[in-house]
Amino acid sequence: MATRLSPAGQYRSRPTKGQHNMLRLQAPLPDRYTLATPEELDKWIAAAKQTLGDGLLILGHHYQRPEVIKWADLRGDSFKLAQFAAENHQATDIVFCGVHFMAEAADILTGDHQRVVLPDLNAGCSMADMADIDQVEEAWDEIAAVTDISRVVPITYMNSSAALKAFVGDHGGAVCTSSNAQAILEWAFERGDKVLFFPDQHLGRNTGYTMGYDESHIQVWNPHRDLGGLDERDVKEAIFLLWKGHCTVHQRFLPEHVAGFRAEHPDGEVIVHPECRHEVAELADRVGSTERIIEWVDAAPPGATIAIGTEIHMIQRLAAEHPDKIVVSLDPLVCPCSTMFRIDGPHLAWCLESLVRSEVVNQIVVDDKTAESAKVALQRMLDIKGAPTAPSKVD
Ligand code: SF4
């Protein structure tokens, strides 16, 4: 079963406008997997891994649950995992324990002899699904009708479909991650006067403020309204047109969570991901990408108390790995990323045992044309000089 993109970059079962890309359907698993005990699943996964040997590479995102991440050969954030996939030429089967856009990026960056498998096709990303190619193309046309489009540079966050990365590649833009957004935006402003940044408004805003811009330079583009819900003058004068998208996990963190933690731990430190709202980012001690958060916790002195605004599985893992420090979630009532959470032991065992039988299930395939354009946008990001920079408050 392969999820393919059409030459236009959209899924074959093309969603109608407003439906976004939510039409991935995972077939129910056989009872063997749904009724298995955790011990049985572990045994089957271990046996399949051993049989597949070096031909298999399991990649695990930091937000994966413990019973999945323990099987990962390599662990990382979305970009690091895509790089791992690109650097490994030995594995023919790459099982990606993450979400759909990450598996697409891995397929784009790997060789023709390699297959990328996503254990559960319903592991999407609600943020990535907030911008689809129809909406972005329509926005581009609307912006072109009121301003000089040759001076607008499209920038897409890594957390976006291959179709959007391809659009950006075809229109002179680049991909960015949460660790290099500032360097990418500086590059964009050497080429134009305005950026259309999608799909995460918070990463765009946090980075813009760090670069010295303020609210007078920023407008939010609502894809469900004509001209993004803006008037012509707003579009003409804006320097940042930020797509009205967000991460449902990181947007949960609020200023009152920072206040509550500080009241309880006056000497504690607050670290948040740049997908958090700006009101939270400006109250935090540090704002940085997933990998930076890990580095900061690693470097904190014994006895440090740290509240983190990001996905709960990563926070719990950091707490377990640093018993000499107090590492807690900034929001006491946290919830995991529900789409990352879809990857579980039964799905992992099912796709691995299928590979042992030479049956490839849930292969993610980006068509050649989309992959070629998306690769241009990814390569521009890699070529942009300047050390990776977090959006604000970086050491
Ligand atoms: S944490 Fe947010 S951005 Fe990351 S995969 Fe989940 S919904 Fe998407």
Side-chain angles (χ1 to χ4, degrees):
M1 188 193 312
T3 299
R4 287 182 181 277
L5 299 176
S6 74
Q10 284 290 281
Y11 297 95
R12 275 182 178 163
S13 47
R14 189 180 177 94
T16 58
K17 190 165 162 48
Q19 271 186 299
H20 310 295
N21 294 328
M22 293 303 291
L23 297 178
R24 302 168 204 122
L25 286 180
Q26 176 62 54
L29 295 187
D31 287 351
R32 169 178 166 78
Y33 301 102
T34 53
L35 301 178
T37 64
E39 294 74 27
E40 285 172 323
L41 292 168
D42 279 356
K43 205 168 104 190
W44 299 340
I45 292 168
K49 265 196 90 168
Q50 194 173 11
T51 304
L52 294 165
D54 290 344
L56 171 72
L57 177 68
I58 300 181
L59 298 176
H61 191 276
H62 292 297
Y63 297 173
Q64 290 290 301
R65 49 169 100 203
E67 61 265 38
V68 170
I69 201 79
K70 70 181 179 185
W71 296 109
D73 298 304
L74 296 167
R75 200 193 287 186
D77 64 8
S78 58
F79 180 62
K80 209 165 170 179
L81 291 175
Q83 277 184 315
F84 288 148
E87 286 162 7
N88 186 308
H89 304 289
Q90 194 171 8
T92 47
D93 291 306
I94 295 168
V95 173
F96 208 117
C97 297
V99 294
H100 196 272
F101 75 81
M102 301 176 188
E104 282 188 331
D107 184 58
I108 291 166
L109 294 171
T110 48
D112 290 344
H113 66 293
Q114 294 173 300
R115 300 177 289 206
V116 177
V117 166
L118 184 66
D120 185 331
L121 288 180
N122 286 339
C125 163
S126 54
M127 177 205 284
D129 288 334
M130 287 177 194
D132 72 26
I133 188 64
D134 288 345
Q135 293 172 316
V136 168
E137 283 175 345
E138 190 175 316
W140 194 253
D141 291 344
E142 286 186 281
I143 295 165
V146 299
T147 192
D148 177 4
I149 201 70
S150 70
R151 302 296 298 161
V152 182
V153 181
I155 301 293
T156 191
Y157 189 21
M158 189 75 178
N159 301 27
S160 59
S161 69
L164 264 61
K165 292 185 178 83
F167 175 90
V168 161
D170 289 341
H171 292 82
V175 176
C176 77
T177 71
S178 54
S179 63
N180 63 18
Q182 183 169 337
I184 303 298
L185 284 168
E186 283 165 358
W187 170 89
F189 288 127
E190 287 166 12
R191 278 150 190 81
D193 311 316
K194 194 188 300 292
V195 294
L196 174 62
F197 187 96
F198 40 83
D200 183 24
Q201 60 170 302
H202 299 304
L203 177 63
R205 185 177 295 105
N206 283 325
T207 312
Y209 276 102
T210 300
M211 293 168 72
Y213 296 98
D214 60 37
E215 71 261 30
S216 68
H217 303 114
I218 296 172
Q219 294 291 345
V220 175
W221 183 277
N222 182 343
H224 303 291
R225 306 265 303 271
D226 287 342
L227 199 60
L230 303 171
D231 61 35
E232 240 182 87
R233 193 170 144 189
D234 291 336
V235 177
K236 279 186 205 296
E237 293 183 357
I239 293 178
F240 288 80
L241 287 170
L242 302 180
W243 199 263
K244 192 172 170 31
H246 63 269
C247 166
T248 45
V249 175
H250 290 94
Q251 195 171 265
R252 285 175 57 91
F253 297 101
L254 300 171
E256 43 266 47
H257 295 136
V258 181
F261 173 78
R262 294 215 191 278
E264 216 175 314
H265 304 281
D267 297 328
E269 189 176 19
V270 175
I271 300 177
V272 301
H273 192 280
E275 289 171 19
C276 291
R277 303 162 190 268
H278 184 65
E279 308 90 273
V280 173
E282 67 183 347
L283 292 174
D285 299 300
R286 302 182 200 228
V287 182
S289 65
T290 301
E291 295 294 339
R292 290 292 277 152
I293 292 172
I294 293 169
E295 287 167 19
W296 286 329
V297 174
D298 286 347
T305 301
I306 306 164
I308 304 179
T310 192
E311 205 273 346
I312 188 63
H313 286 100
M314 183 174 122
I315 298 170
Q316 288 172 339
R317 196 165 302 121
L318 284 170
E321 288 169 356
H322 295 277
D324 58 333
K325 303 165 197 175
I326 297 170
V327 180
V328 297
S329 171
L330 184 59
D331 175 3
L333 299 174
V334 283
C335 67
C337 171
S338 58
T339 48
M340 286 272 183
F341 200 61
R342 296 196 72 95
I343 310 292
D344 56 12
H347 285 88
L348 183 57
W350 169 67
C351 73
L352 291 179
E353 290 202 326
S354 300
L355 288 173
V356 169
R357 293 190 302 273
S358 299
E359 280 172 39
V360 184
V361 293
N362 289 8
Q363 185 179 357
I364 303 300
V365 181
V366 179
D367 73 86
D368 291 346
K369 185 174 179 304
T370 303
E372 194 182 320
S373 298
K375 213 167 181 171
V376 169
L378 285 161
Q379 194 57 48
R380 283 195 191 117
M381 173 178 76
L382 296 171
D383 291 344
I384 291 168
K385 300 292 176 219
T389 52
S392 61
K393 300 181 186 174
V394 182
D395 284 349

